[in-house]
Amino acid sequence: MTLSIPSMIQRLLRRKKNRLLLVLLAVLILVELAAPTALLQLSRPDKAGQGDPVLDAYPTDYNSSRARFLTYQESLMQRWKKVTLTSEAVGGEPGLYTDSLHAEPNGAKKNLLLITTGVHGVEGFVGSAMLDLLVKQHASELNPETTGILLVHSVNPWGMKHKRRYNENNVDLNRNFIPDWKSFNLDVNLDYPKVQSFLESSRPLGYATHHELGFYSAFATKAISPGIGVIADALLTGQYRSPQGVYYGGTQDEPATAYMKGMFRDVLESDYESITHIDVHTGYGPRYQMSIFTTMSETMKEQEAVEAFRYPLVFTPDSEEFYAASGDISEYFYHLKKTEYPGKQLYSTCFEFGTLGDGTVASIQSLRNTIDENRLNWNGASNETTEQIVRNRYAEMFYPSETKWRRKAAADFGVALRGVLAFRGVL
């Protein structure tokens, strides 16, 4: 006699061991089915408030951000008599531009404040917000008779539009500012090949639950051998051999890089006596405290810089958290100044807005998001839920939607800006 399915289950339940196995099986099935939905919900951005001048500074997309930037010319002309708009088509798609506004001093060209944003495209959204706050709240603190402003919106407009760190050629532009490609060693990153199989994959992203477990399993293996330090060094330095890999620096100047190199040269050749450059980035550091991340050219120690800028978090070459990267935009600016314009006064630094945080868990999440987004870009995903989870996580890693984060970022920007400009004698 053949037992019905309900009868079979009933017999199994009579045995305690079998009951436990069935309960475990039910839990596993529930997790298997529910986990992707839960992960998707957790990855969704917060809803931004409206009608608040601080929160409204944060744009929703590249086009609206650019349209707003173009309106600043009229605003700046209320105090600066000559404000020039320049738009350079880059990015390989119609409608993509690197825009700049140059408000020249009404009198002698003593100081220039240069702010660049969106070198890492998706980071341009926070950069856009800081430009908005500068024009509407902080520009009034500057003296238009002796101080000029040069604002650059979206060095990497393709990356900003598509919410990627990289440009249309998968190049990380902040690893692309190489002074001389002919003498540059493309094999500078010796650690990347050791973990390349972990960082890159030729397969589509799979079912969210399986993929999540697979990543942490692979990470645990790599953390033991060759080690977490090797993984970190492989990423942060930048690599120049794998065009479909992460943090790829290219093999020649990208169009946006060439354009910015020309702009830096023009600035150094200008009549300005003193130039202060701030490059805006997001991702690295504590979640609720923006850091001033200096370059290898910084001569001050960490505590000296904290006191000089009157700002609580400054990373200098002697800081434990400091790291150097090949092809950095500020390092290039210094190189150009030192080699060709030694008489110019230049201070170039980075305002880095931490997003996920600086703990071990946050670092692992950042690694996961970086690998997943790159894999999605090249290989796609087997289902829409996994794809949306990866896109949401990646966007949040560079552009947090939390109201508390955005308010604190705006406040930190104001304090750090005043600190650096006061130190430079601009305020």
Side-chain angles (χ1 to χ4, degrees), residues 118-127 156 159-166 282 394-399:
V119 173
H120 290 145
V122 66
E123 300 175 26
F125 291 99
V126 172
N156 176 9
M160 186 174 180
K161 179 181 178 180
H162 296 279
K163 297 182 179 178
R164 295 203 75 214
R165 175 187 175 98
Y166 313 101
T282 66
Y394 193 76
E396 282 289 313
M397 185 167 74
F398 295 109
Y399 190 29

Side-chain angles (χ1 to χ4, degrees), residues 43-55:
S43 72
R44 294 188 189 281
D46 292 346
K47 292 183 178 180
Q50 294 183 343
D52 184 299
V54 171
L55 298 181

Side-chain angles (χ1 to χ4, degrees), residues 37 44 172 211 249 266 279 372 422:
T37 302
R44 294 188 189 281
D172 182 330
H211 172 67
D266 290 342
D279 190 37
D372 286 355

Side-chain angles (χ1 to χ4, degrees), residues 376-389:
L376 176 64
N377 178 68
W378 293 109
N379 307 303
S382 61
N383 62 82
E384 293 182 4
T385 299
T386 300
E387 177 180 349
Q388 198 57 54
I389 290 171

Side-chain angles (χ1 to χ4, degrees), residues 5 42 212 216 396 409:
I5 296 298
L42 289 171
E212 199 84 354
Y216 286 107
E396 282 289 313

